[in-house]
Amino acid sequence: MYTPPATSDQAVPRRARRKQARPGELLDAALDLFVEKGFAATRVEEVAHHAGVSKGTLFLYFSSKEELFKAVVRHNLSGQFPQWNAQLEKFAGSTPDMLRSLLSVWWDTVGNTKASGLTKLILSEAGNFPEIAAFYQQEVIQPGNALIRRVLQRGMDRGEFRPMDLEYAVYSVLAPMIFLMMWKHSLGACPCLDGAQQLDPARYIAHQTETLLNGLCQPAQTQATTRKPPKK
Amino acid sequence: MYTPPATSDQAVPRRARRKQARPGELLDAALDLFVEKGFAATRVEEVAHHAGVSKGTLFLYFSSKEELFKAVVRHNLSGQFPQWNAQLEKFAGSTPDMLRSLLSVWWDTVGNTKASGLTKLILSEAGNFPEIAAFYQQEVIQPGNALIRRVLQRGMDRGEFRPMDLEYAVYSVLAPMIFLMMWKHSLGACPCLDGAQQLDPARYIAHQTETLLNGLCQPAQTQATTRKPPKK
Amino acid sequence: MYTPPATSDQAVPRRARRKQARPGELLDAALDLFVEKGFAATRVEEVAHHAGVSKGTLFLYFSSKEELFKAVVRHNLSGQFPQWNAQLEKFAGSTPDMLRSLLSVWWDTVGNTKASGLTKLILSEAGNFPEIAAFYQQEVIQPGNALIRRVLQRGMDRGEFRPMDLEYAVYSVLAPMIFLMMWKHSLGACPCLDGAQQLDPARYIAHQTETLLNGLCQPAQTQATTRKPPKK
Amino acid sequence: MYTPPATSDQAVPRRARRKQARPGELLDAALDLFVEKGFAATRVEEVAHHAGVSKGTLFLYFSSKEELFKAVVRHNLSGQFPQWNAQLEKFAGSTPDMLRSLLSVWWDTVGNTKASGLTKLILSEAGNFPEIAAFYQQEVIQPGNALIRRVLQRGMDRGEFRPMDLEYAVYSVLAPMIFLMMWKHSLGACPCLDGAQQLDPARYIAHQTETLLNGLCQPAQTQATTRKPPKK
DNA sequence: GATGAATGAGGATTCATTCAT
DNA sequence: CATGAATGAATCCTCATTCAT
């Protein structure tokens, strides 16, 4: 491994530099393995070895396997909310466009990264690790919920969205995304699928978004059945 | 212990009947426990005890825990698709109502039964059991897909639904249902959720269905951006 | 290992007979090792191997190392209280003789056996294993205390012993015995002691008993300093 | 950091003084922790931190945990026997009072100080450190023995104590004190004891002393059974 | 000398699987 | 066939000790 010569003010001893790099290396290795094998099936020793250190070293930085996992979640998911929120604050366009943007950004920063595997992992193993489930609930689900809710509220406030039961409307946005993550990391990853059955995430998201905004029905039809009929 | 001689076809000696019934009892017990605790956290001993036999006996019928798991899945996937298909054939109302009916029936016969736990289980463990994943694809996902597709096609044919990319539209129906099953059996079952965050399945389905049919947008807004405006 | 042929009514299959013998064999091995090396330093695997079984087998009979230890204490100490109590009930002689008998029996059944090492172990490691300390307190110390107290009370009731503060008088009996056990298993076991310094337990007990009963002082002297002076 | 030049013998530069003081600080910290938690349960890192140095530094001064332990014992056994002996030489009162004084002084200078914890520690760990055991024998037990013996001999010489087997009589004085130290640092410190069971050292010592001097029996009774009957 | 990052042997406990009865 | 006693590999975590800086 190449070690650049120490120069002037950034002359950090090799040992110290490693010390700073360790947590990150461990988190990366942990993310890979947790996503690949799940929480229970991932051995801490393997994580350590993937990061190029020994078992004991891992425990120098993370006091337990659960703490390691929480750190992975924080590093890859919850830590991002501030900037997501900030981006939304600045958004100036229509709320439908805002929603499109939200889902597109989500895809780039979560859905299309290894981080998506964490959600699959949580949903798969929540039952056996209540503490982790609670943590995820708090650190990811609730902020995510709030974020979506703000978008929907904005749409209603501006008269772009029809009045809705926010509590449940949130799931109309959430569910397709969660489904996509589950799918990608379960049946979607199955070699059994021939190409025709593969899901193209970009198209999937685009389609979901438009259906979500406009529904399946022809405008007229819709009115007939589920809304007040037009005045005769 | 007295064992009466076998007489008619329904008079199987108790001993023998038990013997024949064993695998089934084991599969039932295994289904319950796998659904409740997941694959890794379920102990074969517990399965055996729930079925009223000893650990050793279980291995007489299933050569390993993995084989038991596969058998459980196979045994519980006796598709009800034929009858669902038949019901849909006979349906006479509008297609939106047909979709509402489909999802409602689905909830009663799948979503609200142990089968939903099985789906959660399969999606969670698919990564470790590619065989199972393929099997589930073929036995459940594809027929389900076809069924949904037929409904959507009918809607388009009758001019009730707008034209759509069927391939992906199917997921607009599938995703919310899959999500509901996963949620019910993971975070939804987590004691960390306070009552306010609990999901009421009936309301969830009702909400999803209507959003699916009509979208989030105000008709006017919608038309402005994505549809032809209604005649004034 | 010789296995006697199974005969008539005692024909227990070898496996079953082992099953019955196991707990005892494990308890014996555990007693030896706990006494020799202490609680913390004794490895359960070693106990198992000494008993001729594997690590896993030990946990079939004792759910944890602590439970194993408690079982050892029950088997070797607390279990004996009923018969000790019974013996004292029947005792007909003077209370001084009763005390002599008590200490002599104690020596034969505890002090002079490996069980004495358990007390040393507890006193040594109580600080690190509070649960064990509490257990010992309850199962051994309190019954022992009560037993001694009954003897002293009897002596007072019959006018053989002078009035005393029972609470603390108990320790006058207890302390020398505890000391003996500690000594035997610590400095007394040290090869550094030449013969002259060795403690002969029988003589030690005899001496302690008589000193306890009669004190160090000449009868007259005693009265002069610590009791009401004789009438002039 | 400024380091003043060394001037007089008491002006050791701070750095250097710290350096010289290190081993002592480590020994002090180690004594505290060993006494509090025992040998096995004390972590060298904790000792180092208590002494204000790093783990590595500790190993600069003591080649292993065991060597540290031995050093702790050796360092804290600078016997106070000379002054105790001197005090006893000067004692002018009755020998019973002398014994009372001895035990009272012992309590103030040993029993009630950290030294009692050291004794507990040594007795607890003697089995694993024969060297320490021998050392303690020589440095503490033997001088202590001699001291007690001189008191008892004086009592016999002056006709205050009855004739006795000195070899064993010594233990009548020693045992209660050793017991008290063990108790204080094991079960006595256990939170499992409710207040009623706590031992008040002063009362314990007072009680032991008087019982030791006078025995349990009524003067008359005593004589009847174990001594020559008083002349009628 | 001092530091503290890194190591890795060690130990309690679990559980799928085997096999003598 | 059925049993359940026995096994031992597997896993998380601790901590004395080393050594590069």
Side-chain angles (χ1 to χ4, degrees), chain C:
Chain C
M1 193 192 299
Y2 172 69
T3 305
T7 55
S8 70
D9 61 10
Q10 71 202 23
V12 182
R14 212 172 321 161
R15 204 78 171 271
R17 201 161 49 238
R18 297 238 52 189
K19 153 88 170 158
Q20 290 172 321
R22 279 288 142 68
E25 292 165 4
L26 283 164
L27 288 173
D28 289 347
L31 176 61
D32 286 351
L33 287 164
F34 279 142
V35 166
E36 182 189 333
K37 325 171 86 144
F39 181 78
T42 295
R43 280 173 300 130
V44 289
E45 186 160 19
E46 208 178 347
V47 173
H49 281 24
H50 271 235
V53 299
S54 75
K55 207 178 1 176
T57 302
L58 186 151
F59 284 95
L60 238 43
Y61 295 94
F62 305 96
S63 62
S64 71
K65 194 182 177 183
E66 284 206 10
E67 285 306 320
L68 173 62
F69 180 78
K70 289 182 186 174
V72 168
V73 171
R74 276 191 212 99
H75 191 65
N76 292 281
L77 285 178
S78 24
Q80 314 242 13
F81 279 103
Q83 51 175 322
W84 289 337
N85 282 327
Q87 276 183 23
L88 281 189
E89 296 287 324
K90 288 184 299 202
F91 193 88
S94 74
T95 309
D97 282 346
M98 192 182 197
L99 195 58
R100 291 185 187 97
S101 161
L102 172 64
L103 295 181
S104 152
V105 166
W106 172 87
W107 171 249
D108 290 340
T109 53
V110 177
N112 196 26
T113 71
K114 270 177 295 196
S116 63
L118 293 177
T119 299
K120 189 264 178 182
L121 184 163
I122 288 281
L123 293 181
S124 295
E125 308 192 48
N128 299 117
F129 301 94
E131 205 182 330
I132 286 181
F135 168 80
Y136 193 79
Q137 183 52 239
Q138 236 183 37
E139 295 274 319
V140 181
I141 300 295
Q142 277 178 21
N145 235 297
L147 196 150
I148 294 172
R149 196 179 287 237
R150 284 225 308 282
V151 175
L152 298 179
Q153 185 69 55
R154 179 184 189 262
M156 288 194 293
D157 291 348
R158 295 170 45 137
E160 294 161 318
F161 291 165
R162 70 176 77 142
M164 60 183 89
D165 178 351
L166 260 191
E167 188 96 35
Y168 283 77
V170 163
Y171 288 106
S172 294
V173 183
L174 206 50
M177 301 301 115
I178 302 259
F179 170 84
L180 180 56
M181 291 192 284
M182 281 299 307
W183 198 258
K184 258 185 59 176
H185 292 278
S186 55
L187 296 187
C190 174
C192 61
L193 288 167
D194 54 36
Q197 299 174 327
Q198 292 291 352
L199 206 55
D200 173 32
R203 277 180 70 195
Y204 170 86
I205 291 178
H207 195 280
Q208 289 285 337
T209 314
E210 297 316 313
T211 303
L212 182 60
L213 289 169
N214 303 319
L216 297 172
C217 297
Q218 295 287 8
Q221 296 289 342
T222 304
Q223 315 270 334
T225 335
T226 65
R227 302 187 194 161
K228 198 163 30 153
K231 211 174 298 187
K232 194 171 39 294

Side-chain angles (χ1 to χ4, degrees), chain D residues 3 20 64 72 91 117 177 180 219 223 226:
Chain D
T3 305
Q20 282 174 234
S64 74
V72 165
F91 193 89
M177 301 303 113
L180 179 56
Q223 316 274 331
T226 64

Side-chain angles (χ1 to χ4, degrees), chain A residues 36-37 40 96 99-100 120 122-128 130 133-134 136-137 141-142 152 158-165 167-169 171-176 178-179 182-183 185-187 190-193 196-201 203-204 207-208 210-219 221-223 225-227, chain B residues 37-38 41 94 96-97 99-100 120 122-128 130 133-134 136-137 141-142 152 158-165 167-169 171-176 178-179 182-183 185-187 190-193 196-200 203-204 207-208 210-219 221-223 226-227:
Chain A
E36 182 189 334
K37 327 173 85 144
L99 196 58
R100 290 185 187 98
K120 189 266 179 180
I122 287 282
L123 292 181
S124 295
E125 307 191 51
N128 299 117
Y136 193 78
Q137 185 50 238
I141 300 296
Q142 278 178 18
L152 299 179
R158 295 169 45 134
E160 294 160 321
F161 292 166
R162 72 176 75 144
M164 60 183 86
D165 178 350
E167 187 95 36
Y168 282 79
Y171 289 106
S172 292
V173 183
L174 207 50
I178 302 260
F179 170 84
M182 281 299 308
W183 198 260
H185 293 278
S186 56
L187 296 187
C190 172
C192 62
L193 287 168
Q197 298 173 329
Q198 292 292 352
L199 206 54
D200 173 35
R203 277 179 71 194
Y204 170 87
H207 196 280
Q208 289 286 336
E210 297 316 311
T211 304
L212 181 59
L213 289 169
N214 304 316
L216 296 173
C217 296
Q218 294 286 8
Q221 294 291 338
T222 304
Q223 316 272 331
T225 336
T226 64
R227 301 186 195 160
Chain B
K37 322 167 88 137
S94 73
D97 282 346
L99 195 58
R100 290 185 187 96
K120 189 266 179 182
I122 291 166
L123 293 182
S124 294
E125 306 285 347
N128 304 117
Y136 190 75
Q137 255 304 328
I141 299 298
Q142 279 177 21
L152 297 180
R158 294 170 44 138
E160 294 160 319
F161 291 166
R162 73 176 74 144
M164 60 184 84
D165 178 351
E167 184 100 32
Y168 283 79
Y171 289 106
S172 292
V173 183
L174 203 52
I178 301 270
F179 171 84
M182 285 301 305
W183 198 259
H185 292 278
S186 56
L187 293 185
C190 172
C192 62
L193 287 167
Q197 298 173 329
Q198 293 292 350
L199 207 55
D200 172 36
R203 274 180 75 194
Y204 170 86
H207 196 281
Q208 289 286 336
E210 297 315 312
T211 303
L212 181 60
L213 290 169
N214 303 316
L216 297 173
C217 295
Q218 294 285 11
Q221 295 288 342
T222 304
Q223 314 275 329
T226 66
R227 299 183 196 167

Side-chain angles (χ1 to χ4, degrees), chain D residues 4-230:
Chain D
T7 49
S8 83
D9 61 6
Q10 74 201 22
V12 181
R14 221 170 319 160
R15 253 288 194 46
R17 194 164 61 238
R18 285 234 47 193
K19 227 180 265 186
Q20 282 174 234
R22 286 279 155 71
E25 289 165 7
L26 282 164
L27 289 172
D28 288 349
L31 174 61
D32 286 349
L33 288 165
F34 280 143
V35 163
E36 183 189 333
K37 323 168 88 138
F39 178 77
T42 295
R43 282 176 306 129
V44 292
E45 183 160 27
E46 214 178 342
V47 173
H49 277 33
H50 272 234
V53 299
S54 75
K55 209 176 0 173
T57 303
L58 187 152
F59 282 95
L60 237 43
Y61 293 98
F62 305 96
S63 65
S64 74
K65 194 184 178 183
E66 298 203 358
E67 286 306 322
L68 172 64
F69 179 76
K70 292 183 195 167
V72 165
V73 173
R74 279 194 206 95
H75 184 253
N76 287 281
L77 284 187
S78 57
Q80 300 176 290
F81 286 103
Q83 51 175 316
W84 286 341
N85 281 329
Q87 276 182 23
L88 283 187
E89 295 288 325
K90 289 185 296 197
F91 193 89
S94 73
T95 310
D97 282 346
M98 191 182 197
L99 195 59
R100 290 185 186 97
S101 163
L102 173 65
L103 295 180
S104 158
V105 166
W106 172 86
W107 172 247
D108 291 340
T109 54
V110 178
N112 200 22
T113 71
K114 252 191 304 196
S116 69
L118 190 63
T119 301
K120 189 263 179 184
L121 185 59
I122 290 165
L123 292 182
S124 293
E125 306 285 347
N128 303 117
F129 298 91
E131 241 177 292
I132 293 290
F135 185 66
Y136 192 75
Q137 256 303 327
Q138 241 179 33
E139 298 288 315
V140 181
I141 300 298
Q142 278 178 21
N145 234 298
L147 193 151
I148 295 172
R149 194 179 290 234
R150 284 223 307 282
V151 174
L152 298 180
Q153 184 68 56
R154 178 185 189 264
M156 287 196 293
D157 291 349
R158 294 170 45 136
E160 293 160 318
F161 291 167
R162 72 177 74 143
M164 58 184 87
D165 177 351
L166 261 191
E167 183 102 34
Y168 283 79
V170 161
Y171 289 106
S172 293
V173 183
L174 203 53
M177 301 303 113
I178 301 268
F179 170 85
L180 179 56
M181 291 193 287
M182 286 300 305
W183 198 259
K184 250 186 62 177
H185 291 279
S186 57
L187 293 184
C190 172
C192 63
L193 285 166
D194 53 35
Q197 299 174 328
Q198 294 292 349
L199 206 55
D200 172 35
R203 274 181 73 195
Y204 169 86
I205 291 179
H207 196 281
Q208 288 286 336
T209 313
E210 298 315 312
T211 304
L212 182 60
L213 289 170
N214 302 319
L216 296 173
C217 296
Q218 296 284 11
Q221 295 289 342
T222 304
Q223 316 274 331
T225 335
T226 64
R227 301 186 197 164
K228 195 162 33 148

